Amino acid sequence: MTTPSRPPDLSTLTPPPPSLPSLPPNFKHTTPPPRLITQGAEALLYQTTYLLSTLPCALKHRPSKPYRHPTLDARLTRHRILAEARVLVKCRREGVQVPAVYALDWEQGWLMMEWIEGGTIRGVLDDWLHAGVGEQEGWEEEVRGLMVRVGKTVGGMHSVGIVHGDLTTSNLMLRPLVAAAREGMVNGQDGGQRKRNLEGDVVLIDFGLAAQSVQDEDKAVDLYVLERAFGSTHPRAEGLFKEVLRAYGESYKGAGVVSRKLEEVRMRGRKKSMIG
């Protein structure tokens, strides 16, 4: 008669380490390891370093998709990595505020770029308004200045024949100036001192859906998406969006035609909202 074996003592077993998000092979053993910032449908964004441990950079990785044919997946990854890099290099060469490209590998599906300090326009503006600064006298002038810088940056991008494809306030960064970081202190709601300042350079990020285009319709859609973003996430600043369009017109010669196209895009958007 055989004695039944005792079940294993599960309390003595060491649980396996949690699975890490996908990383390119070249970055799996770096120290410190890349830190995951955000994960989208097509790509993952990490913060890591480039050459020096003191030089932070952004690593965008497009992992392979098991539901796609391997050949098609490789072709799409190569096309999208190169397309984004070319757009960034062109913008950078023409003086548009975008991250610099450091390195890429289309076979492994990664793109390494300059790390932009600061916060998104969405986050900075929300934080600034909710801190009570928006109740103080002259707050509109602060926001107006930010809107002008946004308009000039978008106009500069369109003037070199680039459309963003996803121009929301989450894809616009506010990189603080050194002086602004030192001097931009205002009283927070808790009575303490917090850094809340709308000064700085507006930098465009996330060109995964960007393309080179001379079509006024495409540029009008960019502006419409940005206008809707301000209206939905920053309703108090929506009335100042005209400053974006004014600065856009001053920085892009073809703004007149794009503005007329923008009216057409707005009309289509209203009809779609009415129909549902």
Side-chain angles (χ1 to χ4, degrees):
M1 180 176 178
T2 59
T3 304
S5 59
R6 296 176 60 186
D9 185 2
L10 299 181
S11 63
T12 62
L13 298 178
T14 303
S19 59
L20 297 175
S22 173
L23 270 173
N26 291 357
F27 299 91
K28 288 185 176 179
H29 305 289
T30 58
T31 305
R35 180 169 63 94
L36 182 65
I37 302 300
T38 184
Q39 180 172 356
E42 289 288 329
L44 300 97
L45 182 68
Y46 297 88
Q47 184 185 31
T48 183
T49 56
Y50 176 66
L51 296 181
L52 302 174
S53 60
T54 56
L55 181 59
C57 72
L59 174 68
K60 186 173 186 178
H61 180 219
R62 290 182 176 271
S64 60
K65 301 296 186 292
Y67 55 82
R68 285 200 294 243
H69 189 279
T71 302
L72 175 61
D73 185 64
R75 287 178 179 175
L76 286 174
T77 299
R78 179 179 186 275
H79 169 75
R80 288 169 179 171
I81 289 288
L82 289 177
E84 185 168 0
R86 285 168 179 151
V87 164
L88 287 168
V89 169
K90 182 175 182 179
C91 286
R92 187 85 176 185
R93 185 173 60 240
E94 298 295 336
V96 182
Q97 294 276 8
V98 299
V101 174
Y102 289 158
L104 62 84
D105 187 328
W106 62 73
E107 292 183 352
Q108 294 185 12
W110 58 263
L111 174 65
M112 187 176 282
M113 301 164 285
E114 174 188 9
W115 180 261
I116 305 299
E117 297 292 344
T120 64
I121 295 291
R122 176 176 181 169
V124 170
L125 197 53
D126 279 348
D127 191 40
W128 192 82
L129 291 172
H130 293 159
V133 183
E135 305 298 331
Q136 299 177 8
E137 184 178 354
W139 73 271
E140 286 192 1
E141 289 303 317
E142 290 276 355
V143 179
R144 184 175 287 108
L146 177 62
M147 295 291 204
V148 167
R149 276 172 280 139
V150 169
K152 288 182 178 179
T153 302
V154 176
M157 176 184 66
H158 284 176
S159 66
V160 299
I162 302 296
V163 291
H164 189 278
D166 189 20
L167 194 58
T168 66
T169 50
S170 295
N171 288 331
L172 288 163
M173 295 284 292
L174 184 63
R175 179 167 52 193
L177 304 174
V178 176
R182 280 200 307 265
E183 301 170 6
M185 307 293 291
V186 297
N187 289 324
Q189 289 177 328
D190 57 359
Q193 293 290 313
R194 299 180 182 177
K195 290 184 179 179
R196 304 190 191 278
N197 197 292
L198 298 187
E199 292 298 321
D201 297 323
V202 174
V203 183
L204 291 153
I205 62 169
D206 195 357
F207 282 76
L209 297 176
Q212 302 190 43
S213 174
V214 295
Q215 298 297 319
D216 298 316
E217 175 90 4
D218 296 337
K219 297 171 183 178
V221 170
D222 259 0
L223 292 178
Y224 180 69
V225 171
L226 183 59
E227 184 179 40
R228 292 294 299 269
F230 271 106
S232 60
T233 58
H234 317 287
R236 294 182 61 188
E238 184 181 12
L240 298 175
F241 188 77
K242 60 181 181 293
E243 297 297 332
V244 173
L245 298 178
R246 182 180 64 80
Y248 176 82
E250 294 175 353
S251 58
Y252 176 43
K253 292 181 179 179
V257 179
V258 175
S259 295
R260 290 192 289 272
K261 286 289 183 181
L262 177 59
E263 286 298 329
E264 297 177 10
V265 175
R266 284 170 175 162
M267 288 296 296
R268 293 202 299 269
R270 292 190 194 104
K271 290 179 180 178
K272 186 176 180 180
S273 299
M274 291 171 64
I275 294 173

